[in-house]
Structure formats: C-alpha cells, structure tokens
Amino acid sequence: MSAAGPAAAPAGPAAPAAGAAALEPVRAALLAAARAEAAAALAAAEEDAAALLRAARAEAAALLAEARRQGGADGRAEHAAALGRARRAARTAELAARRAAWEELHRLTAARVRALPAAADPAVRAGLARYARRLLGPGAEVGEAPSGGVVARAPGRRVDLGLDALASHVLAGLGAGAEQLWEP
C-alpha cells in the first residue's frame, strides 16, 4: 500500500502469497541485518545513556550539596527545582540518544541492504517489478528506485519497493519491540 491511497486488488488469490514468497529472501536478509545493527546500536545507546545519567546524577548531587550549604527552606526548594531540571535534562538526553541510535540503525541497515548481493540481482528487480504491477495493475509505470529496487506509479497511487524503503519497512515492523533495544 502506498501513502497516496490503498493498493489495487491483486490479480488473483495467490498473487499476495506469491509476492510475499518472492520477497522472503530479501525480508530475511533485511531482518538479519537489522538485528545485527540493532545489537551494535543498543550497546552504543546504552553506553551513551549511562554516561548521560551519571553526568545528570553528578550534577544533581553537586546542586544538592550547594543547596544544603545554603540551608533552610530556600535550599530545599532550590534542590527540588534543580533535581527536577536535572531529571528533565537526563530524560531529554536519553531520548536524543535513543533517536540518534534509531537513525544510525536505519542508516546502517539501509546501507547493508544495498550491499547485499541480491540487491544487484536482475531477477530480484524483476520480481519487485512484477509485485508492484500486481499491486497497482498491469498499466503501472515501474522505474528504478535511487537506492535500488523499484518505484511504481499508477494514476493516484504509488508503491515504493526501493531497497531503502524495504529496510525502513522491516525496521518499522519491529514496532514497540524496537524499544527493547534501548532498555537497560
């Protein structure tokens, strides 16, 4: 299905299964590459998040020490405000680290997919073109995607079966499970 509208009905009852079966080697390779890159990105994200949390805790401890020196109600109020700021800063930094890790995972996965031997295989491209025509109809205009693979267009509809789009689709398929990549 494309962002421009629903995909056309397949040519026959076996068309979606045949298209899915034809794409299974690409899907399996994408998933394997995504898992490997996710493990590396997870390790880097965990290190970054831990360092950011240590820094935020150290800042909060320093602010607490200063607040204690100031004493009284003013010190406690300042401590609470500083601790709140430190927690917000740590959360912001953690979310930024997660986003950066996700973007790096996406970049590395797309690069790995483009480097697969199957990416240059004319039979794979032909299979993607056939699948695009099943989705959009035999009159669909099929062209080369910039990343490899194909992009097909029919009046009012578009299907992107480019390698970068396929990599994005696999990563998106991780859904909420992708959050596990960044959990301690």
Side-chain angles (χ1 to χ4, degrees):
M1 182 184 313
S2 74
L23 293 175
E24 184 57 31
V26 172
R27 182 191 166 285
L30 288 171
L31 193 53
R35 285 185 176 141
E37 297 304 330
L42 172 59
E46 285 176 347
E47 287 178 29
D48 290 348
L52 290 169
L53 289 173
R54 283 191 303 274
R57 286 182 179 136
E59 181 183 349
L63 291 170
L64 175 58
E66 177 61 27
R68 283 184 179 147
R69 280 190 290 277
Q70 290 178 3
D74 289 344
R76 285 187 293 278
E78 176 59 27
H79 165 65
L83 189 56
R85 285 190 303 271
R87 284 181 179 151
R88 285 188 298 277
R91 180 66 177 157
T92 298
E94 178 185 6
L95 291 174
R98 285 182 182 198
R99 178 67 185 181
W102 178 259
E103 288 171 356
E104 181 67 3
L105 174 62
H106 183 271
R107 185 188 69 73
L108 291 172
T109 301
R112 279 283 199 71
V113 168
R114 288 188 303 270
L116 289 172
D121 187 346
V124 170
R125 187 199 180 285
L128 290 170
R130 281 191 305 276
Y131 186 62
R133 285 192 178 98
R134 281 189 202 122
L135 294 173
L136 298 180
E141 179 184 317
V142 177
E144 189 74 24
S147 64
V150 299
V151 175
R153 291 175 183 79
R157 296 178 297 165
R158 180 178 182 271
V159 171
D160 187 350
L161 297 176
L163 299 180
D164 285 353
L166 293 172
S168 293
H169 180 71
V170 167
L171 289 176
L174 294 174
E179 284 297 312
Q180 295 174 4
L181 298 174
W182 292 277
E183 294 300 319

